[in-house]
Amino acid sequence: MGNIFLLRFTGEDRVGLTSELTATLAELGTEVLDINQAVIHQSLLLGMMVRVSKGTLLPEPIQDVANRLDLRVKIQSINDTDYDQWVGRQGKPRYILTLLARSIEAAHLAAVTRVITEEGLNIDVIHRLSGRPQRIEAPETPRRACVEFWLRGEPYDKPRMQARYMELSRELAIDIAWQKDDAYRRSRRLVAFDMDSTLIQAEVIDELAKEAGCGEEVAAITEMAMRGELDFDTSLRRRVATLKGLPESAMQRVAQRLQLTEGAETLLLNLRELGYRTAILSGGFSYFGNMLRDRLGFNYVHANELEIVDGKLTGQVLAPIVNGQRKADLLEQIATSEGINRRQIIAIGDGANDLPMLNRAGLGIAFHAKPIVRQEAGHAVSNLGLDAVLYLLGVRDRERVAEESKP
């Protein structure tokens, strides 16, 4: 028998078990090569890979202490070849796969892990980031669930894998995010948001058009622009032109009926408490962006300026227009002024004019987005609220520092 062993303990968890087990290993002069412990509903799962000096008899004292503690233990001798292969696997890249849904079902896990297996990846760790669901939940509380996988290796075909996950997302109403586990993933510093249909549940230009009596005309142009079928600058000018003569007071009426997207307040409260810098980069209008800045505490707001003369809109938008390219340029300017690496940036948006910004960021998230945006963006959240972004940062529910206020 060699001098490297894999020890697997299972049983009912209680205070002091790990302390007593490691005290016995310490008496044997044991070196711990790896350790992993988890507790599921008071059930202990503890694995340790250890090395002892040649001639040390490990199995008998370990079995004795396990019996005394009412634990089951499996002791496996590891030969040198197997150990060297295990060490070699530790040098492979590691990725984080995040599974998000309103509730996690076995069918979701089966579908996701099937792709993991078929792409030749190994699962190192699976853990839950969302809190345990209550047996009886308040009907007005939106459900959310998240499981995080730590994966080792490189997929055989990354584009094929991502396409399969997009298909599963549509079929099963789940979201699947895929990130490389590196220093940048753990040190994001700037989060930039689109505003309309991302932070708020409306396109403000459409709401202003309703006030001006040309809602259907403008909504049709807006939808074409969001699908990428119409040049943004042209579409914006055409839509704003329909607002000529609208009283400035109409903007206040629109602002009063706007609703935040689910999870927006929770996300911004937590980002602020955790020290992130935040920005609104919007093809909408600064009047409404500034309102959100005052309410949610954004550090930067860049949006389009409507020309107002004698208390009425002139139907003109002031230069420069904040279009897709302008958003990406502003994102880079903010990052430079803050001393932030591009890969430490998160950008979130829903429309085609957000794609340059999403692609410039280290983590670009298509949020409840149009098909063309989901296809081209690196990540998508389509089934949960904005606070799901906290899961992509690795934040557990119990680590959230604040929740949004309830009406």
Short mmCIF file of all heavy atoms in Angstrom, two decimals, residues 93-158:
data_model
loop_
_atom_site.label_atom_id
_atom_site.label_comp_id
_atom_site.label_asym_id
_atom_site.label_seq_id
_atom_site.Cartn_x
_atom_site.Cartn_y
_atom_site.Cartn_z
N PRO A 93 -7.71 24.85 -17.29
CA PRO A 93 -8.52 26.05 -17.00
C PRO A 93 -9.79 25.69 -16.23
O PRO A 93 -10.31 24.58 -16.36
CB PRO A 93 -8.87 26.59 -18.40
CG PRO A 93 -7.88 25.97 -19.31
CD PRO A 93 -7.51 24.64 -18.72
N ARG A 94 -10.29 26.64 -15.44
CA ARG A 94 -11.54 26.42 -14.73
C ARG A 94 -12.56 27.47 -15.16
O ARG A 94 -12.22 28.63 -15.35
CB ARG A 94 -11.37 26.47 -13.21
CG ARG A 94 -12.64 26.02 -12.50
CD ARG A 94 -12.38 25.56 -11.09
NE ARG A 94 -12.21 26.67 -10.18
CZ ARG A 94 -11.95 26.49 -8.86
NH1 ARG A 94 -11.83 25.27 -8.38
NH2 ARG A 94 -11.79 27.53 -8.08
N TYR A 95 -13.78 27.02 -15.32
CA TYR A 95 -14.88 27.89 -15.73
C TYR A 95 -15.99 27.84 -14.69
O TYR A 95 -16.13 26.86 -13.96
CB TYR A 95 -15.42 27.47 -17.10
CG TYR A 95 -14.44 27.69 -18.23
CD1 TYR A 95 -13.52 26.72 -18.59
CD2 TYR A 95 -14.42 28.90 -18.93
CE1 TYR A 95 -12.61 26.93 -19.61
CE2 TYR A 95 -13.53 29.12 -19.96
CZ TYR A 95 -12.62 28.13 -20.30
OH TYR A 95 -11.72 28.35 -21.31
N ILE A 96 -16.78 28.90 -14.67
CA ILE A 96 -17.95 28.97 -13.81
C ILE A 96 -19.19 28.94 -14.68
O ILE A 96 -19.35 29.78 -15.58
CB ILE A 96 -17.96 30.26 -12.96
CG1 ILE A 96 -16.68 30.39 -12.13
CG2 ILE A 96 -19.19 30.32 -12.08
CD1 ILE A 96 -16.51 29.32 -11.09
N LEU A 97 -20.04 27.97 -14.46
CA LEU A 97 -21.33 27.91 -15.14
C LEU A 97 -22.41 28.23 -14.10
O LEU A 97 -22.46 27.59 -13.05
CB LEU A 97 -21.57 26.54 -15.77
CG LEU A 97 -22.85 26.40 -16.61
CD1 LEU A 97 -22.63 25.40 -17.75
CD2 LEU A 97 -24.05 25.97 -15.79
N THR A 98 -23.25 29.21 -14.40
CA THR A 98 -24.30 29.62 -13.48
C THR A 98 -25.66 29.30 -14.09
O THR A 98 -25.97 29.74 -15.20
CB THR A 98 -24.21 31.13 -13.18
OG1 THR A 98 -22.85 31.47 -12.84
CG2 THR A 98 -25.12 31.51 -12.03
N LEU A 99 -26.44 28.51 -13.36
CA LEU A 99 -27.77 28.12 -13.80
C LEU A 99 -28.80 28.92 -13.00
O LEU A 99 -28.81 28.85 -11.76
CB LEU A 99 -27.98 26.62 -13.59
CG LEU A 99 -29.41 26.07 -13.72
CD1 LEU A 99 -29.95 26.31 -15.13
CD2 LEU A 99 -29.44 24.59 -13.38
N LEU A 100 -29.66 29.67 -13.69
CA LEU A 100 -30.65 30.52 -13.05
C LEU A 100 -32.05 30.15 -13.53
O LEU A 100 -32.25 29.90 -14.72
CB LEU A 100 -30.40 31.99 -13.36
CG LEU A 100 -28.99 32.53 -13.11
CD1 LEU A 100 -28.43 33.09 -14.40
CD2 LEU A 100 -29.00 33.59 -12.06
N ALA A 101 -33.00 30.13 -12.62
CA ALA A 101 -34.39 29.85 -12.96
C ALA A 101 -35.28 30.33 -11.83
O ALA A 101 -34.79 30.72 -10.75
CB ALA A 101 -34.60 28.36 -13.21
N ARG A 102 -36.58 30.32 -12.05
CA ARG A 102 -37.50 30.64 -10.96
C ARG A 102 -37.45 29.55 -9.90
O ARG A 102 -37.58 29.82 -8.71
CB ARG A 102 -38.92 30.82 -11.51
CG ARG A 102 -39.09 32.08 -12.35
CD ARG A 102 -38.86 33.33 -11.53
NE ARG A 102 -38.98 34.55 -12.36
CZ ARG A 102 -38.79 35.78 -11.90
NH1 ARG A 102 -38.48 35.97 -10.63
NH2 ARG A 102 -38.91 36.83 -12.70
N SER A 103 -37.27 28.32 -10.31
CA SER A 103 -37.01 27.21 -9.40
C SER A 103 -36.17 26.20 -10.16
O SER A 103 -36.32 26.04 -11.38
CB SER A 103 -38.31 26.57 -8.91
OG SER A 103 -39.04 26.03 -9.99
N ILE A 104 -35.27 25.51 -9.46
CA ILE A 104 -34.38 24.53 -10.08
C ILE A 104 -35.04 23.16 -10.04
O ILE A 104 -35.38 22.66 -8.97
CB ILE A 104 -33.01 24.48 -9.37
CG1 ILE A 104 -32.34 25.85 -9.41
CG2 ILE A 104 -32.13 23.41 -10.01
CD1 ILE A 104 -31.93 26.32 -10.79
N GLU A 105 -35.21 22.56 -11.20
CA GLU A 105 -35.80 21.23 -11.31
C GLU A 105 -34.73 20.24 -11.74
O GLU A 105 -33.72 20.60 -12.35
CB GLU A 105 -36.95 21.24 -12.31
CG GLU A 105 -38.07 22.21 -11.95
CD GLU A 105 -39.14 22.29 -13.02
OE1 GLU A 105 -39.08 21.48 -13.98
OE2 GLU A 105 -40.04 23.15 -12.89
N ALA A 106 -34.97 18.96 -11.43
CA ALA A 106 -34.02 17.92 -11.82
C ALA A 106 -33.82 17.91 -13.33
O ALA A 106 -32.71 17.64 -13.82
CB ALA A 106 -34.52 16.55 -11.34
N ALA A 107 -34.87 18.22 -14.09
CA ALA A 107 -34.75 18.24 -15.55
C ALA A 107 -33.75 19.30 -16.01
O ALA A 107 -33.03 19.10 -17.00
CB ALA A 107 -36.12 18.50 -16.18
N HIS A 108 -33.69 20.43 -15.28
CA HIS A 108 -32.73 21.48 -15.61
C HIS A 108 -31.30 20.97 -15.41
O HIS A 108 -30.42 21.15 -16.26
CB HIS A 108 -32.95 22.71 -14.75
CG HIS A 108 -34.32 23.30 -14.88
ND1 HIS A 108 -34.89 24.09 -13.89
CD2 HIS A 108 -35.24 23.21 -15.86
CE1 HIS A 108 -36.09 24.47 -14.28
NE2 HIS A 108 -36.33 23.95 -15.46
N LEU A 109 -31.06 20.37 -14.25
CA LEU A 109 -29.73 19.86 -13.93
C LEU A 109 -29.33 18.75 -14.91
O LEU A 109 -28.17 18.68 -15.34
CB LEU A 109 -29.69 19.34 -12.50
CG LEU A 109 -29.92 20.38 -11.40
CD1 LEU A 109 -30.02 19.71 -10.04
CD2 LEU A 109 -28.80 21.42 -11.40
N ALA A 110 -30.27 17.88 -15.24
CA ALA A 110 -29.97 16.78 -16.16
C ALA A 110 -29.55 17.33 -17.52
O ALA A 110 -28.58 16.85 -18.13
CB ALA A 110 -31.18 15.86 -16.30
N ALA A 111 -30.28 18.32 -18.02
CA ALA A 111 -29.97 18.88 -19.34
C ALA A 111 -28.62 19.60 -19.34
O ALA A 111 -27.81 19.43 -20.26
CB ALA A 111 -31.08 19.84 -19.75
N VAL A 112 -28.36 20.39 -18.30
CA VAL A 112 -27.11 21.15 -18.24
C VAL A 112 -25.91 20.22 -18.08
O VAL A 112 -24.89 20.36 -18.77
CB VAL A 112 -27.17 22.17 -17.09
CG1 VAL A 112 -25.79 22.77 -16.83
CG2 VAL A 112 -28.17 23.28 -17.42
N THR A 113 -26.00 19.25 -17.18
CA THR A 113 -24.86 18.36 -16.94
C THR A 113 -24.62 17.41 -18.11
O THR A 113 -23.49 16.96 -18.31
CB THR A 113 -25.06 17.56 -15.64
OG1 THR A 113 -26.31 16.87 -15.69
CG2 THR A 113 -25.05 18.49 -14.44
N ARG A 114 -25.66 17.12 -18.89
CA ARG A 114 -25.45 16.29 -20.08
C ARG A 114 -24.52 16.99 -21.06
O ARG A 114 -23.59 16.39 -21.62
CB ARG A 114 -26.79 15.98 -20.77
CG ARG A 114 -26.67 15.02 -21.96
CD ARG A 114 -28.01 14.79 -22.64
NE ARG A 114 -29.00 14.35 -21.68
CZ ARG A 114 -30.09 15.02 -21.36
NH1 ARG A 114 -30.33 16.21 -21.92
NH2 ARG A 114 -30.95 14.55 -20.49
N VAL A 115 -24.73 18.30 -21.24
CA VAL A 115 -23.86 19.06 -22.14
C VAL A 115 -22.45 19.14 -21.56
O VAL A 115 -21.46 19.01 -22.29
CB VAL A 115 -24.44 20.47 -22.38
CG1 VAL A 115 -23.48 21.30 -23.25
CG2 VAL A 115 -25.81 20.38 -23.04
N ILE A 116 -22.35 19.35 -20.26
CA ILE A 116 -21.03 19.38 -19.61
C ILE A 116 -20.26 18.09 -19.89
O ILE A 116 -19.08 18.12 -20.28
CB ILE A 116 -21.19 19.59 -18.09
CG1 ILE A 116 -21.70 21.00 -17.79
CG2 ILE A 116 -19.86 19.34 -17.35
CD1 ILE A 116 -22.07 21.23 -16.33
N THR A 117 -20.93 16.96 -19.72
CA THR A 117 -20.29 15.66 -19.94
C THR A 117 -19.89 15.48 -21.40
O THR A 117 -18.76 15.07 -21.71
CB THR A 117 -21.24 14.53 -19.52
OG1 THR A 117 -21.55 14.67 -18.14
CG2 THR A 117 -20.60 13.17 -19.76
N GLU A 118 -20.80 15.80 -22.31
CA GLU A 118 -20.54 15.59 -23.73
C GLU A 118 -19.46 16.51 -24.26
O GLU A 118 -18.84 16.22 -25.29
CB GLU A 118 -21.83 15.76 -24.52
CG GLU A 118 -22.84 14.64 -24.23
CD GLU A 118 -24.19 14.87 -24.88
OE1 GLU A 118 -24.37 15.95 -25.50
OE2 GLU A 118 -25.06 13.99 -24.77
N GLU A 119 -19.20 17.63 -23.57
CA GLU A 119 -18.12 18.53 -23.97
C GLU A 119 -16.81 18.21 -23.26
O GLU A 119 -15.83 18.95 -23.38
CB GLU A 119 -18.53 19.98 -23.71
CG GLU A 119 -19.62 20.49 -24.64
CD GLU A 119 -19.19 20.54 -26.10
OE1 GLU A 119 -17.96 20.62 -26.35
OE2 GLU A 119 -20.05 20.51 -26.98
N GLY A 120 -16.76 17.09 -22.51
CA GLY A 120 -15.51 16.63 -21.92
C GLY A 120 -15.04 17.41 -20.72
O GLY A 120 -13.85 17.39 -20.37
N LEU A 121 -15.96 18.09 -20.02
CA LEU A 121 -15.60 18.89 -18.85
C LEU A 121 -15.88 18.11 -17.58
O LEU A 121 -16.80 17.29 -17.52
CB LEU A 121 -16.40 20.19 -18.84
CG LEU A 121 -16.15 21.13 -20.01
CD1 LEU A 121 -17.24 22.18 -20.09
CD2 LEU A 121 -14.78 21.79 -19.90
N ASN A 122 -15.08 18.38 -16.56
CA ASN A 122 -15.26 17.73 -15.26
C ASN A 122 -15.84 18.74 -14.26
O ASN A 122 -15.42 19.90 -14.21
CB ASN A 122 -13.93 17.20 -14.72
CG ASN A 122 -14.12 16.39 -13.47
OD1 ASN A 122 -14.70 15.30 -13.50
ND2 ASN A 122 -13.63 16.90 -12.35
N ILE A 123 -16.81 18.30 -13.45
CA ILE A 123 -17.40 19.15 -12.42
C ILE A 123 -16.59 19.01 -11.14
O ILE A 123 -16.52 17.93 -10.55
CB ILE A 123 -18.87 18.77 -12.17
CG1 ILE A 123 -19.69 18.91 -13.45
CG2 ILE A 123 -19.45 19.65 -11.07
CD1 ILE A 123 -21.11 18.39 -13.32
N ASP A 124 -15.98 20.10 -10.70
CA ASP A 124 -15.24 20.10 -9.44
C ASP A 124 -16.17 20.33 -8.25
O ASP A 124 -16.09 19.65 -7.22
CB ASP A 124 -14.17 21.19 -9.43
CG ASP A 124 -12.93 20.80 -10.22
OD1 ASP A 124 -12.82 19.62 -10.63
OD2 ASP A 124 -12.07 21.67 -10.44
N VAL A 125 -17.07 21.32 -8.39
CA VAL A 125 -17.92 21.73 -7.27
C VAL A 125 -19.28 22.15 -7.83
O VAL A 125 -19.36 22.76 -8.89
CB VAL A 125 -17.31 22.92 -6.50
CG1 VAL A 125 -18.25 23.42 -5.41
CG2 VAL A 125 -15.96 22.54 -5.88
N ILE A 126 -20.34 21.80 -7.11
CA ILE A 126 -21.67 22.36 -7.36
C ILE A 126 -22.17 22.93 -6.04
O ILE A 126 -22.15 22.24 -5.02
CB ILE A 126 -22.68 21.29 -7.84
CG1 ILE A 126 -22.17 20.56 -9.09
CG2 ILE A 126 -24.03 21.92 -8.12
CD1 ILE A 126 -23.06 19.40 -9.51
N HIS A 127 -22.60 24.18 -6.06
CA HIS A 127 -23.21 24.73 -4.84
C HIS A 127 -24.31 25.71 -5.20
O HIS A 127 -24.39 26.22 -6.31
CB HIS A 127 -22.16 25.36 -3.91
CG HIS A 127 -21.33 26.41 -4.54
ND1 HIS A 127 -20.16 26.87 -3.99
CD2 HIS A 127 -21.47 27.11 -5.67
CE1 HIS A 127 -19.63 27.79 -4.74
NE2 HIS A 127 -20.41 27.97 -5.76
N ARG A 128 -25.18 25.93 -4.25
CA ARG A 128 -26.35 26.78 -4.42
C ARG A 128 -26.03 28.19 -3.93
O ARG A 128 -25.50 28.37 -2.84
CB ARG A 128 -27.52 26.18 -3.62
CG ARG A 128 -28.79 27.00 -3.60
CD ARG A 128 -29.86 26.25 -2.79
NE ARG A 128 -29.32 25.67 -1.57
CZ ARG A 128 -29.11 26.35 -0.45
NH1 ARG A 128 -29.37 27.64 -0.41
NH2 ARG A 128 -28.63 25.75 0.62
N LEU A 129 -26.36 29.19 -4.76
CA LEU A 129 -26.18 30.58 -4.36
C LEU A 129 -27.46 31.18 -3.81
O LEU A 129 -27.42 32.10 -3.00
CB LEU A 129 -25.69 31.43 -5.55
CG LEU A 129 -24.34 31.05 -6.16
CD1 LEU A 129 -23.95 32.06 -7.23
CD2 LEU A 129 -23.25 30.95 -5.12
N SER A 130 -28.60 30.69 -4.27
CA SER A 130 -29.88 31.20 -3.78
C SER A 130 -30.22 30.58 -2.43
O SER A 130 -29.73 29.50 -2.08
CB SER A 130 -31.00 30.89 -4.78
OG SER A 130 -31.02 29.50 -5.10
N GLY A 131 -31.05 31.29 -1.68
CA GLY A 131 -31.46 30.78 -0.37
C GLY A 131 -32.39 29.59 -0.51
O GLY A 131 -32.97 29.33 -1.57
N ARG A 132 -32.52 28.83 0.58
CA ARG A 132 -33.44 27.69 0.56
C ARG A 132 -34.87 28.19 0.43
O ARG A 132 -35.29 29.08 1.17
CB ARG A 132 -33.29 26.87 1.84
CG ARG A 132 -31.94 26.19 1.97
CD ARG A 132 -31.89 25.33 3.24
NE ARG A 132 -30.63 24.60 3.33
CZ ARG A 132 -29.54 25.07 3.93
NH1 ARG A 132 -29.56 26.27 4.46
NH2 ARG A 132 -28.44 24.34 3.97
N PRO A 133 -35.65 27.63 -0.50
CA PRO A 133 -37.04 28.09 -0.64
C PRO A 133 -37.87 27.75 0.57
O PRO A 133 -37.70 26.69 1.20
CB PRO A 133 -37.53 27.32 -1.89
CG PRO A 133 -36.62 26.14 -1.99
CD PRO A 133 -35.29 26.57 -1.44
N GLN A 134 -38.77 28.65 0.93
CA GLN A 134 -39.68 28.40 2.04
C GLN A 134 -40.70 27.34 1.64
O GLN A 134 -41.06 27.20 0.48
CB GLN A 134 -40.42 29.69 2.42
CG GLN A 134 -39.51 30.81 2.87
CD GLN A 134 -38.83 30.52 4.20
OE1 GLN A 134 -39.42 29.91 5.08
NE2 GLN A 134 -37.58 30.93 4.34
N ARG A 135 -41.17 26.59 2.63
CA ARG A 135 -42.19 25.57 2.35
C ARG A 135 -43.46 26.24 1.83
O ARG A 135 -44.11 25.74 0.92
CB ARG A 135 -42.48 24.75 3.61
CG ARG A 135 -43.36 23.54 3.38
CD ARG A 135 -43.44 22.68 4.63
NE ARG A 135 -44.00 23.42 5.76
CZ ARG A 135 -45.32 23.53 5.97
NH1 ARG A 135 -46.18 22.98 5.15
NH2 ARG A 135 -45.76 24.21 7.02
N ILE A 136 -43.81 27.37 2.43
CA ILE A 136 -44.96 28.15 1.96
C ILE A 136 -44.45 29.56 1.66
O ILE A 136 -43.96 30.25 2.55
CB ILE A 136 -46.08 28.21 3.02
CG1 ILE A 136 -46.58 26.79 3.33
CG2 ILE A 136 -47.22 29.08 2.52
CD1 ILE A 136 -47.61 26.75 4.43
N GLU A 137 -44.52 29.95 0.40
CA GLU A 137 -43.97 31.23 -0.01
C GLU A 137 -45.07 32.25 -0.24
O GLU A 137 -46.17 31.91 -0.68
CB GLU A 137 -43.14 31.06 -1.29
CG GLU A 137 -41.93 30.15 -1.09
CD GLU A 137 -41.08 30.08 -2.35
OE1 GLU A 137 -41.36 29.22 -3.19
OE2 GLU A 137 -40.16 30.90 -2.48
N ALA A 138 -44.75 33.51 0.03
CA ALA A 138 -45.70 34.59 -0.22
C ALA A 138 -45.92 34.72 -1.72
O ALA A 138 -44.95 34.81 -2.48
CB ALA A 138 -45.16 35.90 0.34
N PRO A 139 -47.17 34.71 -2.19
CA PRO A 139 -47.44 34.71 -3.63
C PRO A 139 -46.93 35.95 -4.35
O PRO A 139 -46.64 35.90 -5.54
CB PRO A 139 -48.98 34.61 -3.70
CG PRO A 139 -49.47 35.07 -2.37
CD PRO A 139 -48.41 34.68 -1.39
N GLU A 140 -46.80 37.08 -3.61
CA GLU A 140 -46.35 38.31 -4.28
C GLU A 140 -44.83 38.40 -4.40
O GLU A 140 -44.31 39.32 -5.03
CB GLU A 140 -46.88 39.54 -3.52
CG GLU A 140 -46.24 39.79 -2.15
CD GLU A 140 -46.88 38.97 -1.04
OE1 GLU A 140 -47.75 38.12 -1.35
OE2 GLU A 140 -46.51 39.18 0.13
N THR A 141 -44.10 37.46 -3.82
CA THR A 141 -42.64 37.47 -3.87
C THR A 141 -42.13 36.70 -5.07
O THR A 141 -42.38 35.49 -5.18
CB THR A 141 -42.05 36.86 -2.59
OG1 THR A 141 -42.54 37.56 -1.45
CG2 THR A 141 -40.52 36.93 -2.62
N PRO A 142 -41.45 37.35 -6.02
CA PRO A 142 -40.93 36.64 -7.18
C PRO A 142 -39.91 35.58 -6.76
O PRO A 142 -39.03 35.85 -5.94
CB PRO A 142 -40.26 37.74 -8.02
CG PRO A 142 -40.81 39.02 -7.50
CD PRO A 142 -41.12 38.78 -6.06
N ARG A 143 -40.05 34.38 -7.29
CA ARG A 143 -39.11 33.32 -6.94
C ARG A 143 -37.83 33.46 -7.76
O ARG A 143 -37.85 33.94 -8.90
CB ARG A 143 -39.75 31.95 -7.20
CG ARG A 143 -40.97 31.66 -6.36
CD ARG A 143 -41.45 30.24 -6.56
NE ARG A 143 -40.51 29.28 -5.99
CZ ARG A 143 -40.63 27.96 -6.09
NH1 ARG A 143 -41.68 27.44 -6.73
NH2 ARG A 143 -39.74 27.14 -5.56
N ARG A 144 -36.74 33.01 -7.18
CA ARG A 144 -35.47 32.97 -7.90
C ARG A 144 -34.64 31.83 -7.33
O ARG A 144 -34.70 31.54 -6.13
CB ARG A 144 -34.72 34.30 -7.80
CG ARG A 144 -34.37 34.71 -6.37
CD ARG A 144 -33.53 35.97 -6.32
NE ARG A 144 -33.13 36.28 -4.95
CZ ARG A 144 -33.70 37.21 -4.20
NH1 ARG A 144 -34.71 37.93 -4.67
NH2 ARG A 144 -33.26 37.42 -2.97
N ALA A 145 -33.90 31.17 -8.19
CA ALA A 145 -33.05 30.06 -7.75
C ALA A 145 -31.79 30.06 -8.60
O ALA A 145 -31.82 30.40 -9.79
CB ALA A 145 -33.78 28.73 -7.87
N CYS A 146 -30.68 29.67 -7.98
CA CYS A 146 -29.40 29.68 -8.70
C CYS A 146 -28.48 28.58 -8.17
O CYS A 146 -28.34 28.42 -6.96
CB CYS A 146 -28.72 31.04 -8.55
SG CYS A 146 -27.07 31.10 -9.31
N VAL A 147 -27.88 27.84 -9.10
CA VAL A 147 -26.87 26.85 -8.76
C VAL A 147 -25.63 27.17 -9.58
O VAL A 147 -25.71 27.48 -10.78
CB VAL A 147 -27.36 25.42 -9.08
CG1 VAL A 147 -26.23 24.42 -8.89
CG2 VAL A 147 -28.53 25.06 -8.18
N GLU A 148 -24.46 27.11 -8.94
CA GLU A 148 -23.20 27.43 -9.59
C GLU A 148 -22.34 26.17 -9.70
O GLU A 148 -22.19 25.42 -8.74
CB GLU A 148 -22.46 28.51 -8.79
CG GLU A 148 -21.19 29.02 -9.45
CD GLU A 148 -20.54 30.13 -8.63
OE1 GLU A 148 -19.78 29.81 -7.68
OE2 GLU A 148 -20.79 31.30 -8.94
N PHE A 149 -21.79 25.94 -10.89
CA PHE A 149 -20.90 24.81 -11.16
C PHE A 149 -19.49 25.34 -11.38
O PHE A 149 -19.29 26.29 -12.13
CB PHE A 149 -21.32 24.07 -12.44
CG PHE A 149 -22.67 23.44 -12.43
CD1 PHE A 149 -23.82 24.21 -12.58
CD2 PHE A 149 -22.82 22.06 -12.29
CE1 PHE A 149 -25.08 23.63 -12.58
CE2 PHE A 149 -24.07 21.47 -12.29
CZ PHE A 149 -25.20 22.26 -12.44
N TRP A 150 -18.51 24.69 -10.74
CA TRP A 150 -17.12 24.95 -11.05
C TRP A 150 -16.64 23.81 -11.93
O TRP A 150 -16.65 22.64 -11.51
CB TRP A 150 -16.28 25.02 -9.77
CG TRP A 150 -16.64 26.16 -8.86
CD1 TRP A 150 -17.64 27.06 -9.02
CD2 TRP A 150 -15.97 26.52 -7.65
NE1 TRP A 150 -17.67 27.95 -7.98
CE2 TRP A 150 -16.65 27.65 -7.12
CE3 TRP A 150 -14.88 26.00 -6.96
CZ2 TRP A 150 -16.26 28.26 -5.93
CZ3 TRP A 150 -14.50 26.60 -5.77
CH2 TRP A 150 -15.17 27.73 -5.27
N LEU A 151 -16.20 24.15 -13.15
CA LEU A 151 -15.85 23.15 -14.15
C LEU A 151 -14.36 23.22 -14.48
O LEU A 151 -13.77 24.29 -14.49
CB LEU A 151 -16.66 23.38 -15.43
CG LEU A 151 -18.18 23.50 -15.26
CD1 LEU A 151 -18.84 23.79 -16.59
CD2 LEU A 151 -18.75 22.22 -14.66
N ARG A 152 -13.81 22.06 -14.78
CA ARG A 152 -12.38 21.98 -15.10
C ARG A 152 -12.21 21.45 -16.51
O ARG A 152 -12.86 20.48 -16.91
CB ARG A 152 -11.68 21.05 -14.11
CG ARG A 152 -10.18 20.97 -14.26
CD ARG A 152 -9.47 22.17 -13.70
NE ARG A 152 -9.63 22.28 -12.25
CZ ARG A 152 -9.05 23.22 -11.52
NH1 ARG A 152 -8.29 24.14 -12.11
NH2 ARG A 152 -9.24 23.27 -10.22
N GLY A 153 -11.32 22.07 -17.29
CA GLY A 153 -11.01 21.62 -18.63
C GLY A 153 -11.44 22.62 -19.69
O GLY A 153 -11.89 23.73 -19.39
N GLU A 154 -11.31 22.23 -20.96
CA GLU A 154 -11.74 23.05 -22.08
C GLU A 154 -12.83 22.28 -22.84
O GLU A 154 -12.68 21.09 -23.09
CB GLU A 154 -10.59 23.35 -23.04
CG GLU A 154 -9.58 24.35 -22.51
CD GLU A 154 -10.07 25.79 -22.57
OE1 GLU A 154 -11.24 25.99 -22.98
OE2 GLU A 154 -9.31 26.69 -22.22
N PRO A 155 -13.93 22.94 -23.24
CA PRO A 155 -14.95 22.24 -24.02
C PRO A 155 -14.39 21.83 -25.37
O PRO A 155 -13.55 22.52 -25.94
CB PRO A 155 -16.06 23.27 -24.15
CG PRO A 155 -15.40 24.60 -23.94
CD PRO A 155 -14.27 24.35 -22.99
N TYR A 156 -14.89 20.71 -25.87
CA TYR A 156 -14.45 20.25 -27.19
C TYR A 156 -14.76 21.28 -28.27
O TYR A 156 -13.97 21.51 -29.18
CB TYR A 156 -15.12 18.92 -27.55
CG TYR A 156 -14.75 17.76 -26.65
CD1 TYR A 156 -15.71 16.85 -26.24
CD2 TYR A 156 -13.43 17.56 -26.23
CE1 TYR A 156 -15.38 15.78 -25.42
CE2 TYR A 156 -13.09 16.51 -25.41
CZ TYR A 156 -14.07 15.61 -25.01
OH TYR A 156 -13.74 14.55 -24.20
N ASP A 157 -15.93 21.89 -28.18
CA ASP A 157 -16.38 22.85 -29.18
C ASP A 157 -17.20 23.93 -28.46
O ASP A 157 -18.39 23.76 -28.24
CB ASP A 157 -17.24 22.13 -30.24
CG ASP A 157 -17.59 23.04 -31.41
OD1 ASP A 157 -17.71 24.26 -31.21
OD2 ASP A 157 -17.75 22.50 -32.53
N LYS A 158 -16.54 25.04 -28.12
CA LYS A 158 -17.19 26.08 -27.31
C LYS A 158 -18.40 26.70 -28.02
O LYS A 158 -19.46 26.86 -27.40
CB LYS A 158 -16.18 27.15 -26.92
CG LYS A 158 -16.74 28.18 -25.95
CD LYS A 158 -15.67 29.16 -25.52
CE LYS A 158 -16.23 30.22 -24.58
NZ LYS A 158 -15.19 31.20 -24.19
#
